[in-house]
Amino acid sequence: MPRLPGISQKDAVRVFQKLGYRIVRESGHLILSNGECRLVIPRHAPINAITMGAIARDAGLTPQQFRELLLKQSYAAWAALATAFADAGGPVHQVIC
C-alpha cells in the first residue's frame, strides 16, 4: 500500500468527520465511529504514514481518496481564511518588493 503523508491527529479527525464519523471516546487515542466501523486515531503528531494508511484502509478509503479529501479540506480552510480576511478589509495577498 502506498504511504500516506504523516499528518496531525486533528487533520485526520476532520477528514473522517466529513465522512460521517463522530468522536465516541477520547483518551490516549481518539475513537471514532460511524455506527458500522470504529477507527482508532493516535494522539501524536505527526501520525506515522504507515499507520495513517492502515487507518484509511479500515475506513474503506484508498490512499488516493484519503489524499484528495485531505487536500480538499486544506484548500477549503485556506479559502475560508482568505475570504474572512478580505471581508475584514485586509489584503488577501501582499507583494514584497
Side-chain angles (χ1 to χ4, degrees):
M1 168 179 263
R3 290 181 161 200
L4 287 173
I7 62 169
S8 73
Q9 159 251 330
K10 289 180 181 182
D11 289 337
V13 169
R14 285 185 194 122
V15 168
F16 291 120
Q17 284 180 328
K18 289 192 177 221
L19 295 173
Y21 285 86
R22 298 291 170 244
I23 297 174
V24 176
R25 188 178 63 212
E26 296 182 44
S27 58
H29 293 75
L30 290 173
I31 311 299
L32 287 89
S33 176
N34 66 356
E36 296 176 8
C37 179
R38 187 182 73 185
L39 302 175
V40 179
I41 310 290
R43 280 195 182 247
H44 46 81
I47 298 172
N48 182 294
I50 295 171
T51 303
M52 197 64 249
I55 294 168
R57 185 183 62 232
D58 290 345
L61 296 173
T62 65
Q64 184 61 33
Q65 289 171 329
F66 187 83
R67 279 188 202 98
E68 289 171 3
L69 288 169
L70 187 61
L71 289 175
K72 285 180 186 176
Q73 170 206 338
S74 297
Y75 178 76
W78 175 254
L81 181 63
T83 302
F85 195 64
D87 290 345
V92 174
H93 180 70
Q94 189 175 37
V95 177
I96 299 174
C97 297

